[in-house]
Amino acid sequence: MDRIDKILAQWNRERPDLDVTPMGLIGRIGNLAHHLGHEMGKTFAQFDLNRAAFDVLATLRRSGPPYTLSPNDLIASMMVTSGTMTNRIDQLEKAGLVTRSPNPDDGRSFLVSLTDKGFALIDGAVTAHVETQARLVSSLSEEEKAALDVLLRKYLAGF
């Protein structure tokens, strides 16, 4: 019995007219998200990154050569506002991890590219991130991971 089971038992005692089963599922997913985020945050911090900076650098890195995207491409990939993206790019540019250059296809915009320093940093960070993620799911068997992946994909598709 975990903490959430105790909460559910209390609600079942106090409000037997309610089916609180969803509360347990959502509570556990929320707790899991908190723990996963905390552990991955520790990995990002080893590289002087936060989740937001990691996401921008990782998006550029996985885009393939020349590791360059427009701010709109970055926004679409990460689902953030243009103001948020501008702030992230500004901070990464100040750190020497990305550069801005004119967009040859649109004179009104620019492109964001990984610098050599940014490329090296994100390659190391992604390696550590994948290791952290492997550790975080290591308590599950391969079959359990596959089953959970199917269930979560189905659940997320509903949104």
Side-chain angles (χ1 to χ4, degrees), residues 43-128:
T43 300
F44 301 145
Q46 293 172 2
F47 296 86
D48 292 323
L49 296 172
N50 58 28
R51 177 68 188 228
F54 177 88
D55 285 347
V56 173
L57 296 174
T59 300
L60 288 167
R61 176 63 177 91
R62 73 174 183 261
S63 72
Y67 311 109
T68 300
L69 294 170
S70 72
N72 284 339
D73 290 336
L74 288 166
I75 290 167
S77 177
M78 289 181 263
M79 298 179 289
V80 297
T81 66
S82 61
T84 297
M85 184 54 64
T86 298
N87 184 36
R88 290 180 184 182
I89 294 167
D90 288 346
Q91 296 305 312
L92 292 168
E93 188 175 38
K94 285 178 191 171
L97 302 174
V98 302
T99 59
R100 287 182 169 113
S101 60
N103 185 340
D105 298 328
D106 181 357
R108 299 167 295 153
S109 69
F110 60 91
L111 298 174
V112 180
S113 302
L114 281 176
T115 62
D116 290 343
K117 178 181 175 183
F119 185 94
L121 180 72
I122 194 59
D123 255 18
V126 166
T127 299

Side-chain angles (χ1 to χ4, degrees), residues 140 143-156:
L140 301 174
E143 295 78 21
E144 289 168 330
K145 289 178 216 176
L148 183 57
D149 195 43
V150 167
L151 290 172
L152 291 173
R153 184 179 296 111
K154 178 180 178 182
Y155 186 42
L156 284 169

